[in-house]
Amino acid sequence: MTDIDRRRRRRRLLLVLAFIATVGGVVLLTALDQLGKDRAALVAAFLSVVAAAAAWEATGRASDTAEEARKTAEVVARIERDRWLAELTPQFEFTLTKEGDHAAKLLVHLAGPDALGRLDSVTVRVGDDDYDHTPTQQRLGFLSPHSPSPEQIAAHVWGPFRLRPRVDEGDDDGRELTFTDLQVGRGRPLALDRTSPGTWMTGKTYDSWQQEYEGHPMRLIFTCRRGEETWTVARNVENPDWRPEPRQPVA
Protein backbone atom coordinates (compact mmCIF):
# COMPACT_ATOMS: atom_id res chain seq x y z
CA MET A 1 0.00 0.00 0.00
CA THR A 2 1.37 3.40 -0.97
CA ASP A 3 1.46 6.55 1.19
CA ILE A 4 -1.31 8.04 -0.94
CA ASP A 5 -3.55 5.02 -0.31
CA ARG A 6 -2.91 5.21 3.43
CA ARG A 7 -3.77 8.92 3.55
CA ARG A 8 -6.95 8.30 1.58
CA ARG A 9 -7.99 5.58 4.01
CA ARG A 10 -7.43 7.85 7.04
CA ARG A 11 -9.43 10.72 5.48
CA ARG A 12 -12.35 8.45 4.61
CA LEU A 13 -12.37 7.04 8.13
CA LEU A 14 -12.46 10.52 9.68
CA LEU A 15 -15.23 11.55 7.28
CA VAL A 16 -17.33 8.55 8.27
CA LEU A 17 -16.74 9.30 11.96
CA ALA A 18 -17.81 12.92 11.47
CA PHE A 19 -20.99 11.80 9.70
CA ILE A 20 -21.77 9.27 12.45
CA ALA A 21 -21.23 11.93 15.11
CA THR A 22 -23.63 14.30 13.32
CA VAL A 23 -26.35 11.69 12.96
CA GLY A 24 -25.91 10.71 16.59
CA GLY A 25 -26.25 14.33 17.65
CA VAL A 26 -29.45 14.79 15.69
CA VAL A 27 -30.96 11.64 17.20
CA LEU A 28 -29.96 12.77 20.70
CA LEU A 29 -31.49 16.23 20.26
CA THR A 30 -34.71 14.73 18.96
CA ALA A 31 -34.89 12.37 21.92
CA LEU A 32 -34.42 15.23 24.41
CA ASP A 33 -37.08 17.26 22.58
CA GLN A 34 -35.06 20.47 22.71
CA LEU A 35 -36.49 23.75 21.56
CA GLY A 36 -36.67 23.95 17.80
CA LYS A 37 -34.49 27.01 17.63
CA ASP A 38 -31.74 25.57 19.81
CA ARG A 39 -31.99 22.22 18.08
CA ALA A 40 -31.69 23.82 14.67
CA ALA A 41 -28.57 25.68 15.77
CA LEU A 42 -26.94 22.53 17.08
CA VAL A 43 -27.90 20.58 13.98
CA ALA A 44 -26.37 23.35 11.87
CA ALA A 45 -23.19 23.08 13.93
CA PHE A 46 -23.01 19.32 13.40
CA LEU A 47 -23.64 19.75 9.68
CA SER A 48 -20.86 22.32 9.49
CA VAL A 49 -18.52 19.72 10.96
CA VAL A 50 -19.53 17.29 8.24
CA ALA A 51 -19.08 19.98 5.59
CA ALA A 52 -15.63 20.82 6.91
CA ALA A 53 -14.67 17.13 6.88
CA ALA A 54 -15.96 16.78 3.31
CA ALA A 55 -13.99 19.86 2.22
CA TRP A 56 -10.89 18.45 3.91
CA GLU A 57 -11.39 15.17 2.02
CA ALA A 58 -11.80 17.02 -1.29
CA THR A 59 -8.62 19.03 -0.65
CA GLY A 60 -6.70 15.85 0.21
CA ARG A 61 -8.01 14.14 -2.91
CA ALA A 62 -6.85 17.04 -5.07
CA SER A 63 -3.43 16.92 -3.39
CA ASP A 64 -3.17 13.17 -4.02
CA THR A 65 -4.12 13.67 -7.67
CA ALA A 66 -1.39 16.29 -8.05
CA GLU A 67 1.17 14.02 -6.40
CA GLU A 68 0.19 11.09 -8.61
CA ALA A 69 0.55 13.34 -11.68
CA ARG A 70 4.00 14.44 -10.48
CA LYS A 71 5.13 10.85 -9.92
CA THR A 72 3.78 9.82 -13.33
CA ALA A 73 5.69 12.68 -14.94
CA GLU A 74 8.88 11.57 -13.14
CA VAL A 75 8.45 7.98 -14.36
CA VAL A 76 7.85 9.15 -17.94
CA ALA A 77 10.88 11.45 -17.76
CA ARG A 78 13.05 8.61 -16.42
CA ILE A 79 11.87 6.26 -19.18
CA GLU A 80 12.63 8.89 -21.81
CA ARG A 81 16.07 9.56 -20.33
CA ASP A 82 16.87 5.82 -20.24
CA ARG A 83 15.75 5.49 -23.86
CA TRP A 84 17.86 8.49 -24.85
CA LEU A 85 20.91 7.07 -23.06
CA ALA A 86 20.38 3.68 -24.69
CA GLU A 87 20.24 5.30 -28.13
CA LEU A 88 23.58 7.02 -27.40
CA THR A 89 25.35 3.88 -26.18
CA PRO A 90 28.89 4.01 -27.64
CA GLN A 91 29.52 1.59 -30.50
CA PHE A 92 33.05 0.21 -30.77
CA GLU A 93 34.87 -1.62 -33.54
CA PHE A 94 38.16 -3.45 -33.00
CA THR A 95 41.15 -4.32 -35.12
CA LEU A 96 43.70 -6.61 -33.47
CA THR A 97 47.08 -7.02 -35.15
CA LYS A 98 49.63 -9.58 -34.01
CA GLU A 99 53.12 -8.30 -33.30
CA GLY A 100 55.15 -11.45 -33.02
CA ASP A 101 54.12 -14.37 -30.86
CA HIS A 102 53.86 -12.53 -27.55
CA ALA A 103 52.34 -9.14 -28.34
CA ALA A 104 49.62 -7.41 -30.32
CA LYS A 105 48.15 -4.01 -31.04
CA LEU A 106 44.45 -3.34 -30.54
CA LEU A 107 42.82 -0.40 -32.32
CA VAL A 108 39.71 0.73 -30.43
CA HIS A 109 37.54 2.68 -32.89
CA LEU A 110 34.50 4.70 -31.74
CA ALA A 111 32.15 4.02 -34.65
CA GLY A 112 29.02 5.77 -33.36
CA PRO A 113 26.33 6.70 -32.91
CA ASP A 114 26.81 9.99 -34.73
CA ALA A 115 24.61 11.86 -32.23
CA LEU A 116 27.03 10.94 -29.43
CA GLY A 117 29.67 13.21 -30.89
CA ARG A 118 32.49 12.49 -28.48
CA LEU A 119 33.43 10.96 -25.15
CA ASP A 120 35.26 12.88 -22.44
CA SER A 121 37.00 9.74 -21.20
CA VAL A 122 37.10 6.00 -21.74
CA THR A 123 38.33 3.55 -19.10
CA VAL A 124 39.32 0.17 -20.55
CA ARG A 125 39.43 -2.77 -18.17
CA VAL A 126 40.47 -6.31 -19.07
CA GLY A 127 37.99 -8.83 -17.71
CA ASP A 128 38.67 -12.36 -16.43
CA ASP A 129 37.11 -15.64 -17.43
CA ASP A 130 34.13 -16.99 -15.47
CA TYR A 131 35.99 -19.38 -13.15
CA ASP A 132 36.86 -19.03 -9.47
CA HIS A 133 40.65 -19.31 -9.34
CA THR A 134 40.96 -19.37 -5.57
CA PRO A 135 42.77 -22.61 -4.62
CA THR A 136 40.55 -25.25 -3.07
CA GLN A 137 42.42 -25.21 0.24
CA GLN A 138 41.87 -21.47 0.55
CA ARG A 139 38.17 -21.85 -0.13
CA LEU A 140 38.08 -24.40 2.69
CA GLY A 141 39.90 -22.03 5.02
CA PHE A 142 43.37 -23.61 4.92
CA LEU A 143 46.29 -21.34 4.10
CA SER A 144 49.52 -22.52 2.56
CA PRO A 145 52.73 -20.51 2.19
CA HIS A 146 53.00 -21.82 -1.37
CA SER A 147 49.52 -20.65 -2.39
CA PRO A 148 48.91 -17.26 -4.02
CA SER A 149 47.46 -14.48 -1.89
CA PRO A 150 44.00 -13.10 -2.68
CA GLU A 151 45.74 -9.94 -3.92
CA GLN A 152 47.85 -11.96 -6.38
CA ILE A 153 44.78 -13.78 -7.68
CA ALA A 154 42.89 -10.50 -8.17
CA ALA A 155 45.83 -8.79 -9.90
CA HIS A 156 46.49 -11.65 -12.33
CA VAL A 157 44.70 -11.41 -15.69
CA TRP A 158 42.88 -14.68 -16.34
CA GLY A 159 42.63 -14.51 -20.10
CA PRO A 160 44.75 -14.55 -23.27
CA PHE A 161 45.80 -10.87 -23.28
CA ARG A 162 46.49 -8.01 -20.94
CA LEU A 163 47.27 -4.34 -21.52
CA ARG A 164 50.97 -3.62 -21.64
CA PRO A 165 51.83 -2.57 -18.09
CA ARG A 166 52.78 1.08 -17.47
CA VAL A 167 52.20 2.02 -21.14
CA ASP A 168 49.72 4.79 -22.04
CA GLU A 169 49.17 5.39 -18.31
CA GLY A 170 48.17 1.78 -17.76
CA ASP A 171 48.48 0.19 -14.34
CA ASP A 172 51.23 -2.15 -13.18
CA ASP A 173 49.17 -5.31 -13.75
CA GLY A 174 48.03 -4.61 -17.31
CA ARG A 175 44.47 -4.60 -16.08
CA GLU A 176 43.20 -1.06 -16.73
CA LEU A 177 43.92 2.29 -18.34
CA THR A 178 42.04 5.51 -19.12
CA PHE A 179 42.31 7.79 -22.11
CA THR A 180 40.48 11.05 -22.82
CA ASP A 181 38.75 12.92 -25.61
CA LEU A 182 37.70 10.25 -28.08
CA GLN A 183 35.54 11.52 -30.95
CA VAL A 184 33.13 9.50 -33.05
CA GLY A 185 34.96 8.26 -36.12
CA ARG A 186 38.32 8.20 -34.37
CA GLY A 187 40.26 5.43 -32.63
CA ARG A 188 42.96 4.78 -30.09
CA PRO A 189 45.66 2.07 -30.40
CA LEU A 190 46.42 -0.01 -27.31
CA ALA A 191 49.51 -2.15 -26.80
CA LEU A 192 48.79 -5.71 -25.63
CA ASP A 193 50.89 -8.55 -24.29
CA ARG A 194 49.90 -12.18 -24.14
CA THR A 195 49.52 -13.29 -20.56
CA SER A 196 51.83 -15.76 -18.84
CA PRO A 197 51.16 -18.13 -15.96
CA GLY A 198 51.40 -16.72 -12.45
CA THR A 199 54.72 -16.96 -10.65
CA TRP A 200 53.19 -19.44 -8.22
CA MET A 201 52.04 -21.81 -11.01
CA THR A 202 54.94 -24.24 -10.84
CA GLY A 203 55.25 -26.58 -13.79
CA LYS A 204 53.03 -24.51 -16.10
CA THR A 205 54.73 -23.10 -19.18
CA TYR A 206 53.80 -20.13 -21.36
CA ASP A 207 52.69 -22.47 -24.14
CA SER A 208 50.53 -24.61 -21.88
CA TRP A 209 48.99 -21.48 -20.35
CA GLN A 210 48.13 -19.97 -23.72
CA GLN A 211 46.78 -23.28 -24.91
CA GLU A 212 44.23 -23.16 -22.09
CA TYR A 213 42.86 -19.93 -23.56
CA GLU A 214 42.99 -21.01 -27.18
CA GLY A 215 39.74 -19.94 -28.81
CA HIS A 216 38.75 -17.82 -25.78
CA PRO A 217 38.21 -14.11 -26.52
CA MET A 218 39.77 -11.18 -24.76
CA ARG A 219 37.11 -9.63 -22.54
CA LEU A 220 36.96 -5.85 -22.28
CA ILE A 221 34.77 -3.58 -20.18
CA PHE A 222 34.53 0.06 -21.27
CA THR A 223 33.34 2.78 -18.89
CA CYS A 224 32.53 5.76 -21.09
CA ARG A 225 31.79 9.25 -19.79
CA ARG A 226 30.44 12.38 -21.44
CA GLY A 227 29.53 15.17 -19.07
CA GLU A 228 27.33 13.62 -16.37
CA GLU A 229 26.36 10.62 -18.52
CA THR A 230 28.06 7.25 -18.06
CA TRP A 231 27.82 4.08 -20.15
CA THR A 232 29.29 0.67 -19.35
CA VAL A 233 29.87 -1.47 -22.42
CA ALA A 234 31.21 -5.06 -22.35
CA ARG A 235 32.71 -6.46 -25.53
CA ASN A 236 34.78 -9.48 -26.63
CA VAL A 237 37.75 -9.36 -28.99
CA GLU A 238 38.65 -12.47 -30.97
CA ASN A 239 41.81 -14.21 -29.82
CA PRO A 240 44.06 -15.02 -32.80
CA ASP A 241 46.28 -18.09 -32.91
CA TRP A 242 48.99 -17.77 -30.25
CA ARG A 243 51.41 -20.20 -31.90
CA PRO A 244 54.33 -19.05 -34.07
CA GLU A 245 53.69 -18.65 -37.75
CA PRO A 246 54.96 -21.66 -39.75
CA ARG A 247 58.12 -20.95 -41.65
CA GLN A 248 57.89 -21.01 -45.42
CA PRO A 249 60.35 -23.42 -47.11
CA VAL A 250 63.24 -21.76 -48.82
CA ALA A 251 63.02 -22.18 -52.58
Side-chain angles (χ1 to χ4, degrees), residues 5 13-14 18 43-44 53 79 88 90 102 137 144-145 161 211 228 239:
D5 292 333
L13 177 61
L14 291 174
V43 169
I79 292 173
L88 290 181
H102 296 262
Q137 62 269 27
S144 168
F161 282 101
Q211 191 170 8
E228 297 182 354
N239 175 20

Side-chain angles (χ1 to χ4, degrees), residues 7 24 46 50 56 74 95 100 104 113 142 152 165 176 186 195 208 215 223 236:
R7 289 199 297 271
F46 281 121
V50 174
W56 177 64
E74 289 179 352
T95 302
F142 300 103
Q152 286 178 300
E176 184 176 286
R186 302 287 294 176
T195 54
S208 64
T223 303
N236 291 341

Side-chain angles (χ1 to χ4, degrees), residues 2 4-5 8 61-74:
T2 64
I4 293 178
D5 292 333
R8 284 176 175 171
R61 188 181 299 116
S63 176
D64 290 345
T65 301
E67 185 173 351
E68 287 179 338
R70 179 184 61 81
K71 289 184 176 181
T72 300
E74 289 179 352

Side-chain angles (χ1 to χ4, degrees), residues 79-98:
I79 292 173
E80 284 299 308
R81 176 175 173 78
D82 291 344
R83 181 185 62 81
W84 176 74
L85 286 174
E87 290 178 350
L88 290 181
T89 299
Q91 300 168 3
F92 291 104
E93 294 177 354
F94 308 102
T95 302
L96 192 148
T97 305
K98 290 179 61 175

Side-chain angles (χ1 to χ4, degrees), residues 146-162:
H146 304 291
S147 297
S149 66
E151 292 75 18
Q152 286 178 300
I153 296 173
H156 191 72
V157 177
W158 301 86
F161 282 101
R162 67 174 182 172

Side-chain angles (χ1 to χ4, degrees), residues 96-101 103-105 194 240-245:
L96 192 148
T97 305
K98 290 179 61 175
E99 296 185 338
D101 302 327
K105 180 177 292 183
R194 285 197 175 272
D241 194 347
W242 57 276
R243 290 163 294 195
E245 296 290 343

